Structure formats: structure tokens, C-alpha cells
Amino acid sequence: YQRMLIKSIGLSLLALFWATAAEAAFSCTYYQAMFERLQQEPKAPMAARVAWISQQFLGRPYALFSWGEGAEGRFDQAPLYCFDVVDCETFVTAVLALAHSHSQRDYERNLRIFRYKKGQVDFLTRHHFTVVEWNSALERAGVLKDITPSLGAFKVAEADIDKAAWY
């Protein structure tokens, strides 16, 4: 068992109210349009980029386990990324990776860095546990900042996570 300290991490991005699921899916042309728009606004403030990108997902259907390691994945052959459907984690990851990108190539690189240990795409290296893996990896990368201490009193919880048994 690994002893992992779990603490509350404040993330302002988690406040999204999903519109009812739309039937239409983004097309490849739409993907390209999003990446072109990101290239046009390299100096836009991060908050504005996050707001615009988040809005592009309004109405997208919610689907658990919508992203995987791609067709070549050992365990999870779902697409590496897909803008057609998202869940809570893939929405936040997509928005953050897009906000820090100016091209599709940047996005794919950032997605690998944000979602996988050392950027190595594999089910076993994916940051499955939000607080102890994903948040801390993005903090170390300088993408997120833990603002919990600035919010005043908070509680710390501890849990044993047997990651090998979880798989």
C-alpha cells in the first residue's frame, strides 16, 4: 500500500453546469477551427482563453470513460482525446491543455504531460487519482496552484490507496 496524503485543492475550473446533451458532434473541421482560433490569440489572458474554450464544450454529452490511450493502447483503446463527449476529468484536462496551447501539436503534447506520468501514454501511467496524481502533477508543472491555504481553515484527510489492486 502506498500512503498518500489527500488534501483539498481549490480549482475554479470545476464549476461548470452542463447543458442538455446535444446530438450533433464536433467535426474534424471544428477541431481545426478551434486550434486556428487558439493560434490567433496567443496573448489573450489565460482567464479569457479558459472561458472561451469552456464555452465550446457547452452542450457536449457527458460520458464516463470517453478517453483512453488510442487505438494502440494496451488496456484502453478509446481515443486519446475526443471533443465529442467528455466527463469531469477529461473536460478539465481538455480545457487546461487547450488553454496552454497554440496549435494541435501543442495540445497533444500538453495533454500527454498533463494526463500521464512523464508524458508516457499508457493506462498504467495515467493520472487516475485526481487529488494525489493529477493535481500534484499539474502543480509541479506550474499549471495549477494550490490555493487551499489562502481560503482559511480546511481539513486534511488521509487514505490508503493500493493502486496495483485498483487496476
Side-chain angles (χ1 to χ4, degrees):
Y1 283 79
Q2 280 184 295
R3 188 82 157 149
M4 296 184 183
L5 179 64
I6 301 174
K7 63 182 179 177
S8 299
I9 305 269
L11 293 175
S12 61
L13 288 175
L14 295 179
L16 173 75
F17 297 96
W18 288 94
T20 55
E23 292 298 317
F26 291 157
S27 68
C28 290
T29 304
Y30 183 81
Y31 289 178
Q32 193 58 38
M34 185 181 293
F35 292 121
E36 287 174 11
R37 171 82 184 261
L38 292 172
Q39 285 178 328
Q40 294 170 6
E41 297 187 31
K43 294 181 182 178
M46 184 58 69
R49 289 173 69 84
V50 167
W52 180 80
I53 293 163
S54 297
Q55 289 172 355
Q56 305 315 299
F57 287 93
L58 288 175
R60 294 296 95 207
Y62 183 93
L64 289 174
F65 315 116
S66 55
W67 291 9
E69 275 64 62
E72 303 299 318
R74 288 190 301 163
F75 302 107
D76 187 352
Q77 290 82 34
L80 183 61
Y81 67 91
C82 174
F83 297 157
D84 299 344
V85 296
V86 290
D87 59 29
C88 299
E89 185 275 329
T90 57
F91 165 74
V92 174
T93 301
V95 171
L96 284 174
L98 285 164
H100 285 84
S101 303
H102 299 292
S103 68
Q104 185 170 353
R105 181 184 218 168
D106 286 350
Y107 172 71
E108 291 173 358
R109 184 193 71 240
N110 287 333
L111 179 69
R112 284 175 170 81
I113 292 168
F114 294 1
R115 195 155 194 246
Y116 299 95
K117 185 176 182 177
K118 297 182 181 177
Q120 297 173 350
V121 177
D122 187 85
F123 185 82
L124 299 176
T125 61
R126 188 189 309 169
H127 298 308
H128 293 282
F129 299 96
T130 304
V131 175
V132 294
E133 293 178 318
W134 191 86
N135 288 355
S136 58
L138 292 180
E139 271 190 275
R140 284 190 304 275
V143 175
L144 296 180
K145 180 180 179 184
D146 182 358
I147 62 167
T148 306
S150 70
L151 300 175
F154 61 92
K155 292 184 179 184
V156 174
E158 291 186 22
D160 289 326
I161 299 174
D162 184 351
K163 192 170 178 178
W166 180 82
Y167 292 126

